[in-house]
Amino acid sequence: MTTPHIRPARQEDADALARLDRDTWSPLHAVQPRPQPPYDPFFDSSHRPHDYLVAEADGRPAGYVRLVPPTRLACNAHVRQIQGLAVADWARGRGLARALLRAACEEALRQGATRITLRVLGHNKPARTLYASEGFAVEGVLPGEFFLDGRYVDDVFMGRALV
């Protein structure tokens, strides 16, 4: 695999990112059922290209991260939230998720944010370990918030300062 390049998403990435999203679906991180045809568009009025950073390797998207304000309220305009991070199976194990996470923090800073947050399912130990290694701390837990695959799963809120 070539060294990945992280860049803003473009409208023409929609089909590749939609495939990547479907291919990486897992009960480890998804609260929505497995996507079934006909598929919704990847980009829509709530999921715009400028909300995403894309990791490109070998000439194709290998991963993405979605970074957005958590609300429309002016009182928390200083916060950005990661609302999705995915890496293609063929690109895993090469530090791409960490690179996307760091790029999201840099982009949040560039946008004027001083804080970044995310939510992760309690049973997703690999993601929680990655986030903790990048300075994210658990700031709240909603015990048993989701019922997935026959069991209750915690919703874990994590965050960190950017400055």
Side-chain angles (χ1 to χ4, degrees), residues 130-155:
L130 169 66
Y131 301 145
S133 75
E134 288 296 318
F136 286 80
V138 173
E139 297 179 344
V141 176
L142 297 173
E145 184 71 2
F146 300 106
F147 188 73
L148 304 169
D149 266 358
R151 65 184 185 137
Y152 292 99
V153 178
D154 296 348
D155 186 14

Side-chain angles (χ1 to χ4, degrees), residues 7 9-10 12-24 42-43 49 52-55 61-64 86:
R7 60 166 175 78
R10 301 182 291 254
E12 55 266 25
D13 293 322
D15 289 342
L17 294 179
R19 272 191 309 280
L20 189 151
D21 204 46
R22 290 190 300 270
D23 291 347
T24 59
F42 188 80
F43 295 131
Y52 292 83
L53 296 173
V54 174
Y64 72 81

Side-chain angles (χ1 to χ4, degrees), residues 2-111:
T2 61
T3 303
H5 166 70
I6 298 177
R7 60 166 175 78
R10 301 182 291 254
Q11 185 65 44
E12 55 266 25
D13 293 322
D15 289 342
L17 294 179
R19 272 191 309 280
L20 189 151
D21 204 46
R22 290 190 300 270
D23 291 347
T24 59
W25 183 95
S26 165
L28 190 61
H29 59 77
V31 295
Q32 297 288 345
R34 181 182 295 278
Q36 299 294 323
Y39 302 115
D40 292 332
F42 188 80
F43 295 131
D44 60 26
S45 61
S46 299
H47 301 83
R48 299 156 308 188
H50 72 266
D51 297 333
Y52 292 83
L53 296 173
V54 174
E56 196 173 71
D58 297 338
R60 59 185 170 150
Y64 72 81
V65 63
R66 180 171 182 247
L67 182 70
V68 295
T71 71
R72 295 180 183 159
L73 300 171
C75 59
N76 82 329
H78 63 287
V79 180
R80 290 297 176 276
Q81 189 169 72
I82 293 172
Q83 293 184 356
L85 189 150
V87 174
D89 289 340
W90 58 267
R92 291 198 177 156
R94 297 179 173 105
L96 217 52
R98 184 176 305 278
L100 282 163
L101 191 57
R102 288 178 179 175
C105 290
E106 289 171 15
E107 177 60 18
L109 265 172
R110 189 193 69 72
Q111 292 178 13

